[in-house]
Amino acid sequence: MPEKVWSKRYDQINDFEQLIATENNTTILKFFLHISKEEQLARFEKRLDDSNRQWKISESDYKERDYWDDYTKAFEDVLNKTSTEHAPWFIIPSNHKWFRDLAVSQIIVRQMEDMDMQFPKPTVNLAEIRREYHQAAREEKSDRRKKR
């Protein structure tokens, strides 16, 4: 693909993310789950040996490995050009799934804590609803007694 095409897309991505972050007050977190070439090959082996994973096998899996270095350069370019203050990339080492899950969850929790979210205040008359609840509960209890 010509550079003219993909380089324009970086600006489009950044503009879109800026728009939704500022206009819609949306928090954007982007995670790049990075595995090594060796780990990728080990996972391919598991796909071959485990019938529950064989659905993941693609004919292109091994052919695309020849382009590993090219893909790495492309990823680095994307990450560098589309990581912004309002939409940062987090590069997560993912050879070990337990670590990947821990790192991602900690980033999400930290972001949610920073947002200082609160439950909304009720918009109904709680005293009235509580009265109706207790009345319904008494009636239910009375109906059960009558059925005995």
Side-chain angles (χ1 to χ4, degrees), residues 44 58-68 71:
F44 287 169
S58 163
E59 290 181 7
S60 67
D61 284 344
Y62 299 95
K63 293 175 189 167
E64 295 299 318
R65 285 176 57 78
D66 292 339
Y67 303 105
W68 186 273
Y71 283 130

Side-chain angles (χ1 to χ4, degrees), residues 1-145:
M1 183 177 297
E3 181 178 353
K4 180 181 175 183
V5 173
W6 54 258
S7 63
K8 182 180 176 184
R9 290 184 182 167
Y10 295 147
D11 292 334
Q12 291 170 335
I13 290 166
N14 290 334
D15 290 346
F16 173 71
E17 291 174 343
Q18 168 104 33
L19 177 71
I20 62 173
T22 56
E23 295 295 318
N24 295 341
N25 197 26
T26 300
T27 299
I28 301 169
L29 303 174
K30 300 181 292 194
F31 299 96
F32 180 75
L33 307 178
H34 182 268
I35 63 170
S36 67
K37 194 173 184 181
E38 296 76 20
E39 177 63 19
Q40 182 193 52
L41 190 59
R43 291 184 186 186
F44 287 169
E45 180 182 24
K46 289 178 185 174
R47 290 177 188 175
L48 288 171
D49 296 340
D50 182 347
S51 61
N52 292 325
R53 297 177 191 206
Q54 289 176 348
W55 65 271
K56 296 180 179 184
I57 294 174
S58 163
E59 290 181 7
S60 67
D61 284 344
Y62 299 95
K63 293 175 189 167
E64 295 299 318
R65 285 176 57 78
D66 292 339
Y67 303 105
W68 186 273
D69 292 339
D70 295 329
Y71 283 130
T72 299
K73 289 175 189 166
F75 289 141
E76 288 172 354
D77 199 39
V78 168
L79 297 171
N80 285 323
K81 294 194 170 134
T82 63
S83 188
T84 61
E85 185 178 332
H86 59 271
W89 275 104
F90 295 89
I91 301 169
I92 308 295
S94 299
N95 280 358
H96 304 288
K97 292 179 181 181
W98 69 266
F99 179 81
R100 172 204 64 198
D101 296 347
L102 176 65
V104 169
S105 64
Q106 286 183 337
I107 292 166
I108 292 170
V109 166
R110 184 181 67 222
Q111 182 62 44
M112 290 178 73
E113 288 172 346
D114 289 349
M115 293 168 75
D116 193 30
M117 295 186 293
Q118 304 292 320
F119 285 108
K121 300 285 184 211
T123 59
V124 296
N125 182 334
L126 289 178
E128 178 63 22
I129 290 176
R130 184 172 280 117
R131 186 193 64 70
E132 290 174 5
Y133 162 77
H134 288 296
Q135 181 179 341
R138 282 191 302 274
E139 290 171 5
E140 181 84 19
K141 191 174 183 180
S142 175
D143 287 348
R144 279 193 304 244
R145 284 186 190 146

